Amino acid sequence: MQQLVVDGIDVYIDGPEEDEHAETIVMIHGWPDTYRLWEPQVAELKHRYRCVRFTLPGFDNSKQRRSYTLDATMRILLHIVNSVNRKQPVILMTHDWGCVFGYEFYMRHRAAVSRIVGVDIGDANSETTLRSRSLGQRMMLNGYQNVLALGWAIGGAVGNLITRTMAGIMKVPSPREHIYSGMNYPYYILTAGNIGSYRALVPFKPRVPMLFIYGIRKPFMFHSGPWTEVLAARKGCKVVAFNTGHWPMVSEPERFNQVVLDWLDGVAEAAPKEEGDGEVVVTEEQAAAGDDAAA
């Protein structure tokens, strides 16, 4: 394993470093996980791909507790991608809030991404998805998000207790010792609209091959039926439902890995690139322009 530090974030790289043709998969977890979420995937994929993992800024309980604006998060992701991509587009593998941030990164820097594996989060904030939920489902969604936002606001031992209690209720697979209130800042930003609101998020419209995997055993979905239908109809894209909850990569890791590998094999030769076929390095000036365009 190779380790880098980028903007204070520990970045771990597993895979065939000696193979200059090995593609890079950048794995982005969500709440309340860390880079450890992807261990079963790295164990299988590292023989053919360079697997890049890191804990999202603010999610590492060994570091200072603080929040990050959307633009700050995008800059960190850009620096990480530019540090590991060998000047070639990367494959994004994302889950939960990792989808939110990964999809936004793609929309701002589409030339930097060749393919996307999205897990359990699709068009979560679309009007179609919102309208598909019952009143009870909306109350449940708002309820847990508000509780986690409160955990961030309180902080300390009480905030940690609130966060870990909610994680337990939601049957989160992440080890309890890695869960703390600092991970909740996205929910505080989402509910309070402060510290760099997520209202600037660009609607996600993938134009590269995408694999969408989701679990069906949940109180409600984070995607709409029409969204998956349109995605599945696109060349090079695939939608796969698992009989699991929100963490299919943990509940059924062997099947998950095989679905990912089969899909990658199937689109490897035909995967289109959006912004030319040359080397990919996004400069700070381009990043700033992307931030302005997305605002």
Side-chain angles (χ1 to χ4, degrees):
M1 177 192 292
Q2 180 185 0
Q3 183 174 350
L4 307 174
V5 178
V6 180
D7 291 353
I9 304 296
D10 297 318
V11 180
Y12 306 93
I13 306 173
D14 293 87
E17 284 297 316
E18 68 283 356
D19 183 358
E20 62 181 17
H21 299 296
E23 292 185 89
T24 299
I25 302 178
V26 175
M27 302 172 169
I28 312 177
H29 67 83
W31 181 92
D33 299 307
T34 66
Y35 75 94
R36 301 170 184 86
L37 172 73
W38 303 109
E39 288 180 355
Q41 284 62 60
V42 172
E44 179 67 28
L45 299 175
K46 69 180 182 180
H47 303 293
R48 293 173 52 186
Y49 296 90
R50 296 173 69 243
C51 299
V52 176
R53 296 177 291 162
F54 56 93
T55 297
L56 281 170
F59 279 54
D60 189 339
N61 62 2
S62 69
K63 299 183 184 296
Q64 180 182 5
R65 182 184 183 273
R66 55 161 293 190
S67 62
Y68 290 79
T69 65
L70 180 61
D71 284 347
T73 303
M74 290 302 103
R75 283 193 293 272
I76 291 172
L77 291 184
L78 176 63
H79 295 163
I80 290 174
V81 169
N82 278 347
S83 297
V84 303
N85 66 0
R86 292 175 166 178
K87 299 182 179 180
Q88 296 296 327
V90 301
I91 301 165
L92 290 183
M93 182 178 289
T94 64
H95 175 247
D96 193 74
W97 275 99
C99 290
V100 177
F101 298 136
Y103 295 167
E104 179 71 11
F105 177 82
Y106 163 74
M107 293 303 297
R108 297 189 185 201
H109 310 296
R110 288 180 288 184
V113 178
S114 66
R115 279 159 283 173
I116 300 171
V117 179
V119 186
D120 220 62
I121 302 292
D123 60 331
N125 293 322
S126 71
E127 287 297 324
T128 305
T129 299
L130 297 176
R131 287 196 302 268
S132 70
R133 295 187 180 126
S134 67
L135 176 60
Q137 290 172 331
R138 295 178 190 177
M139 292 176 64
M140 189 181 303
L141 178 67
N142 292 334
Y144 88 79
Q145 291 180 344
N146 288 337
V147 168
L148 294 176
L150 178 64
W152 160 262
I154 294 175
V158 175
N160 291 345
L161 178 61
I162 291 172
T163 304
R164 290 169 179 169
T165 300
M166 181 56 67
I169 293 172
M170 299 172 70
K171 295 181 171 58
V172 168
S174 184
R176 181 180 176 87
E177 62 268 24
H178 299 308
I179 298 174
Y180 85 119
S181 65
M183 296 172 158
N184 300 350
Y185 75 84
Y187 291 105
Y188 185 78
I189 293 175
L190 185 68
T191 58
N194 294 331
I195 328 174
S197 172
Y198 293 145
R199 295 189 187 96
L201 284 167
V202 178
F204 177 51
K205 298 178 180 179
R207 293 293 179 265
V208 293
M210 178 172 179
L211 169 64
F212 181 62
I213 297 174
Y214 68 96
I216 63 173
R217 290 195 285 108
K218 305 191 299 286
F220 46 82
M221 298 296 167
F222 295 98
H223 67 273
S224 66
W227 185 82
T228 55
E229 291 172 6
V230 170
L231 183 67
R234 288 188 56 240
K235 183 178 180 180
C237 297
K238 188 174 184 178
V239 177
V240 182
F242 277 48
N243 187 28
T244 68
H246 187 51
W247 286 266
M249 78 289 281
V250 175
S251 300
E252 294 188 14
E254 292 183 1
R255 184 190 175 205
F256 182 95
N257 294 343
Q258 194 59 56
V259 168
V260 170
L261 283 170
D262 289 347
W263 177 75
L264 288 173
D265 286 342
V267 299
E269 297 299 325
K273 296 179 181 178
E274 288 198 295
E275 304 290 341
D277 298 324
E279 295 182 345
V280 175
V281 177
V282 183
T283 65
E284 293 292 337
E285 290 76 12
Q286 291 170 320
D291 291 344
D292 291 341

